Amino acid sequence: MTTPAWAPLRDKIFRGLWIGSLASNVGTWMQTVGASWRLVDEPAAATWVSLVQTATMLPVLLLALPAGTLADVFDRRRLLLTVQAASFAVATTLTVLTATDRMPPPVLLVFTFLLGVGQALTLPTWQAIIPELVPRDALPAASSLGAVNTNLARSAGPAVAGLLVAQAGVPVVFGLNALSFVVFALALLRWRRPPHSGSQAEHFGPALRAGERYVRYAPLVRRILLRVVLFVLPGSVVWGLVPLVAQRLHMGSRGYGILLAALGAGAILGALLMPRLRDRLTPNRLLVLSGLAYATALVTVALVPSPFAAVPALVLAGLAWMAQVSRMNASLQLFLPNWVRARGFAVYRVVFAGAQALGALLWGQITELTGLPAAYLAAAACMLAGTATVRRLPLHERAGDRSPATYWPEPHLMLEPHLDDGPVLVTARYRVREENRAAFVDAMSTVRRSRLRTGATRWGLFRDGEQADEFVEVYQVPTWDEHLRQHDGRLTGSDEHEEEKALALAEGPPRIEHLLPAGVPVSRH
């Protein structure tokens, strides 16, 4: 039975954190509007205002993967609390300097960038803790609620900021953004995260490289990222050019707010419908239908220049956007193991933000050359082309068992390596009957990806020239610490299943050897 759309909110901790995240997201959108409005009367205002968006997005592109690494290395609750405290200090200073008229444009951009750094650190960490708060079968619903959160903030933040700027001034908007960090921090303080046992924290550099290797050798993650690009790149035409749609339809600034609200309303409607859609549609059929719906919305906006057509079309676009994004987000939540979850989501954020930024730039240039309707029609054609690839490049519908599995025997050594000693060469010798050799080699190709995902930098499978029935697996790990993490924490139930398939084709268990650097001392025990 599918989990109802709002079911995760019944948990008071998830509910509190979701509300805190909503307050923070609304504050971020208010901050962006306030910063832009603060600069509209400056010389070269168009340049300064455009740089606000750059200063907001640049930290996500630059820092997402390091931020995800920090979230996997350190306690996620403490990291979020530290970031909220730092963001509160930055936003409060910004408020005071703006209220006292000591905020020239370059300084405002520096503060905007610093707040963007806080957002870049928060996003992958928040995504990574969701599976700790809700049961696994509730993750798709929690993912949909995350999309609702984002779109509510996108709709409400600019509208509230516009009213406050007119009635009370920019410093008040900045001050409320500062208070939004307090709301999120209070929700975090109510959450008592259980202590996580296991090995000591990874060092930052090796952890960063381990995250990159994991994504590179995880076909399911790479497929999700590809589908993100194929949808977000053409889909970004809506978010990037909504102001021009309002201008084309002579709707003014109030109409701009109405169009944004239509997108947000569509996303909320999509969240309400998602449980039923998941019951009736496979993930890939959902991708196809939402892609077709989004393309239909783009064609409608391009060919029917009327607010009465544009508003429902954007509601449909918001629904389709939410369906695609929440589906891919949920797939990633289900697939990523806990040890690398934040790093995986950091890569997801980089790809998502990069596709959105590149798409907005692309469609803006096409609009300059050909006009707004032509840009929307071109985006619709790209959306249809991307949707047509679902059959050949589908999302994998089953993530397998992602729970940690400790099934390798503990290594017993005569040497005493330090955790930082390396590289370490591991060999495994298998005896395989002639009739099983082809199947064994094929099964070991899946084992290869497991080794490379979990720490190995090189892998090979060889045959012993003197023993025709003996195969030798060889892989290299950067340090002894990395190899111990393979033994305890990085392997999953799916890795165990794939390894068992290969072992079933061999005669008995393999003979394992650990080759260490020549300078490692002999154990005193």
Side-chain angles (χ1 to χ4, degrees), residues 34-102:
S36 299
W37 192 258
R38 172 67 180 78
L39 297 170
V40 293
D41 293 326
E42 297 288 336
T47 299
W48 289 117
V49 170
S50 65
L51 286 174
V52 169
Q53 294 294 328
T54 302
T56 301
M57 293 299 298
L58 193 59
V60 175
L61 295 174
L62 295 179
L63 301 176
L65 187 52
T69 304
L70 289 173
D72 282 331
V73 169
F74 297 109
D75 182 90
R76 291 164 183 166
R77 176 179 176 271
R78 291 181 181 177
L79 178 61
L80 282 174
L81 281 169
T82 302
V83 171
Q84 303 319 301
S87 298
F88 172 76
V90 171
T92 301
T93 305
L94 172 62
T95 302
V96 172
L97 291 177
T98 304
T100 56
D101 201 23
R102 298 178 182 178

Side-chain angles (χ1 to χ4, degrees), residues 401-436:
D401 182 3
R402 314 314 300 168
S403 58
T406 303
Y407 59 94
W408 284 2
E410 183 180 352
H412 296 284
L413 307 179
M414 296 299 293
L415 302 182
E416 191 174 22
H418 186 272
L419 290 178
D420 293 331
D421 284 338
V424 176
L425 200 66
V426 183
T427 67
R429 292 180 173 270
Y430 305 84
R431 288 193 177 275
V432 185
R433 291 179 180 177
E434 183 175 358
E435 62 270 21
N436 293 333

Side-chain angles (χ1 to χ4, degrees), residues 412-472:
H412 296 284
L413 307 179
M414 296 299 293
L415 302 182
E416 191 174 22
H418 186 272
L419 290 178
D420 293 331
D421 284 338
V424 176
L425 200 66
V426 183
T427 67
R429 292 180 173 270
Y430 305 84
R431 288 193 177 275
V432 185
R433 291 179 180 177
E434 183 175 358
E435 62 270 21
N436 293 333
R437 288 171 190 168
F440 176 78
V441 172
D442 184 60
M444 289 298 289
S445 65
T446 305
V447 173
R448 167 186 174 271
R449 287 196 294 269
S450 171
R451 305 284 195 252
L452 294 168
R453 276 199 305 270
T454 56
T457 55
R458 300 172 64 185
W459 184 94
L461 183 65
F462 304 91
R463 294 188 67 177
D464 191 322
E466 284 72 38
Q467 301 287 337
D469 62 345
E470 191 160 293
F471 286 77
V472 184

